[in-house]
Amino acid sequence: QVQLQQWGAGLLKPSETLSLTCGVSGGSCSGYYCSWIRQSPIKGLEWIGEIHPHGNSDYNPSFMSRVTISTDTSNNQFSLKLSSVTAADTAMYYCARGTDSRKIQHWGQGTLVTVSS
Amino acid sequence: DIVMTQSPDSLAVSLGERATINCKSSQSVLYSPNNQNYLAWFQQKPGHPPKLLIYWASTRESGVPDRFSGSGSGTDFTLTISSLQAEDVAVYFCLQYAGTPRTFGQGTKVEIK
């Protein structure tokens, strides 16, 4: 059974870089879509980006210049980096994994990230 | 971006009655090569991540009760709970994954009347 466990800093100051990691047990990212999604009361659910089964990545243009999603296949992990954060980046961040038929299937437990000076 | 619009924003249904949620996309999410609609439905309860209920618009995820069903094609979709149970109180979201960026509906809150 696939389980996603995520971790990373939950409190950041403006201009810092958000860094989160998602570990996949019972599988890996190799051959799957691995995504990051965030949720806030103001904007709802927002797709940040994903890594495709063959290794290329796609990002939401809203984040394009600030975001990097990478994988560490040897450790069955994938990561999110979002630079130059502001208060508007305060949200619950989720990792997710899926297949072509259901690109967002299994979800991590979520990490609340707060940006405050 | 494909804009997903759900209706209603909230609804209250009596136990055992039918609940119907609609989702409309600003562009078709039907993928011609395999004739599948890249539309999914999720259920989210407080303090938990969303849970996949339906993918390809009408295929129930493994383990999801058969009172949940999805229908529709192209730009108009419906999630139906045929007989509402107390444990179905949640917020429901649609997601299009035909194009990028993937986009979600704003959510529909389902409560017991």
Side-chain angles (χ1 to χ4, degrees):
Chain A
Q1 182 179 343
V2 176
Q3 289 190 326
L4 282 69
Q5 182 78 26
Q6 54 184 103
W7 62 90
L11 181 60
L12 297 172
K13 290 182 167 42
S15 80
E16 292 185 333
T17 294
L18 180 158
S19 181
L20 298 174
T21 300
C22 182
V24 183
S25 59
S28 72
C29 256
S30 182
Y32 294 91
Y33 289 83
C34 287
S35 311
W36 288 95
I37 297 148
R38 74 181 187 182
Q39 185 173 31
S40 65
I42 296 172
K43 291 204 165 185
L45 286 160
E46 282 185 286
W47 177 82
I48 299 170
E50 69 191 17
I51 287 189
H52 293 195
H54 297 297
N56 54 310
S57 55
D58 246 324
Y59 298 125
N60 189 326
S62 299
F63 303 94
M64 190 75 85
S65 60
R66 301 195 291 138
V67 65
T68 303
I69 297 175
S70 58
T71 58
D72 176 359
T73 52
S74 60
N75 288 307
N76 289 342
Q77 296 174 359
F78 63 107
S79 298
L80 168 71
K81 289 192 188 304
L82 185 67
S83 63
S84 305
V85 297
T86 69
D89 294 309
T90 293
M92 182 71 77
Y93 286 75
Y94 294 102
C95 60
R97 195 192 84 163
T99 63
D100 181 69
S101 63
R102 54 203 113 160
K103 291 184 171 66
I104 298 174
Q105 182 183 13
H106 302 289
W107 295 65
Q109 81 278 16
T111 301
L112 180 60
V113 175
T114 302
V115 181
S116 174
S117 55
Chain B
D1 297 6
I2 299 176
V3 178
M4 307 300 289
T5 304
Q6 290 181 229
S7 62
D9 288 335
S10 64
L11 74 161
V13 176
S14 300
L15 288 172
E17 296 300 306
R18 178 185 302 261
T20 301
I21 301 168
N22 300 301
C23 177
K24 188 174 184 67
S25 59
S26 61
Q27 303 171 36
S28 175
V29 298
L30 176 63
Y31 186 57
S32 299
N34 62 6
N35 201 37
Q36 295 288 354
N37 289 280
Y38 278 58
L39 186 287
W41 289 97
F42 293 86
Q43 174 194 66
Q44 187 176 30
K45 296 181 180 179
H48 292 273
K51 172 189 172 184
L52 178 64
L53 298 176
I54 303 282
Y55 63 97
W56 274 348
S58 61
T59 302
R60 207 175 297 114
E61 174 73 336
S62 175
V64 173
D66 60 8
R67 64 179 180 273
F68 291 93
S69 63
S71 62
S73 183
T75 61
D76 291 279
F77 301 90
T78 300
L79 174 70
T80 301
I81 309 172
S82 61
S83 176
L84 191 75
Q85 305 300 303
E87 62 265 32
D88 301 335
V89 169
V91 179
Y92 293 83
F93 297 93
C94 59
L95 160 73
Q96 70 77 20
Y97 53 106
T100 57
R102 319 295 182 199
T103 46
F104 293 85
Q106 80 277 16
T108 296
K109 187 174 186 178
V110 174
E111 299 173 308
I112 305 294
K113 186 187 292 184

